[in-house]
Amino acid sequence: AQSVAQPEDQVNVAEGNPLTVKCTYSVSGNPYLFWYVQYPNRGLQFLLKYITGDNLVKGSYGFEAEFNKSQTSFHLKKPSALVSDSALYFCALDYNFNKFYFGSGTKLNVKP
Amino acid sequence: DAMVIQNPRYQVTQFGKPVTLSCSQTLNHNVMYWYQQKSSQAPKLLFHYYDKDFNNEADTPDNFQSRRPNTSFCFLDIRSPGLGDAAMYLCATSRSRGIEDTQYFGPGTRLTVL
């Protein structure tokens, strides 16, 4: 069965510190993985995706994600968090021609 | 410049009263999707159109229907809304169904059922 999991409901980090939002996946074939961010009462905004190639993927707003096949993970990272990064983050797995399973979401709180 | 537009942003309806949500796009994308996102949950795909070809997810209730009269517009019809249908409804588009094509989301319509 194909699925994606975000083990943390919430991540708290101080402004200026590095942040990591975790995502693990399960898929029978090649994994196609995405990160989206959602601000309150807004739609989802695309951050980055992994399809093939380099395991370190760089995306919007200074975010990057590391694909790790042996650990079946695709963690989202940023070297220095901003208060404005506070939002809800979703990891997603493409399971069939651009149809997504979304993770349950992780709320990121960045404190000044 | 808004690319995926959803109207209205907030919709209130009564239990059992049909309601229609609207989505339009300026991207000329071939694929349009409708997702349901209940409070504190992940978005769940209801159905999508690839051009004029309608694709329903297996577990989407019959109460939910969709229309796509042209490339730019797509509508979500809820025939008899129940209290459990209160949610944020997200429209998204992509150029094709290929994995290389990013999905672009609208701001959502929050539906309240009284």
Side-chain angles (χ1 to χ4, degrees), chain B residues 43-87:
Chain B
K44 180 179 179 300
L45 182 64
L46 294 173
F47 28 59
H48 75 278
Y49 271 95
Y50 182 64
D51 196 11
K52 297 179 181 179
D53 183 28
F54 178 70
N55 298 269
N56 200 28
E57 293 302 295
D59 56 355
T60 297
D62 292 340
N63 197 28
F64 291 86
Q65 303 287 324
S66 186
R67 296 171 285 133
R68 190 179 185 185
N70 54 54
T71 300
S72 300
F73 284 86
C74 193
F75 300 101
L76 170 62
D77 300 310
I78 308 177
R79 293 191 296 188
S80 182
L83 297 179
D85 296 328

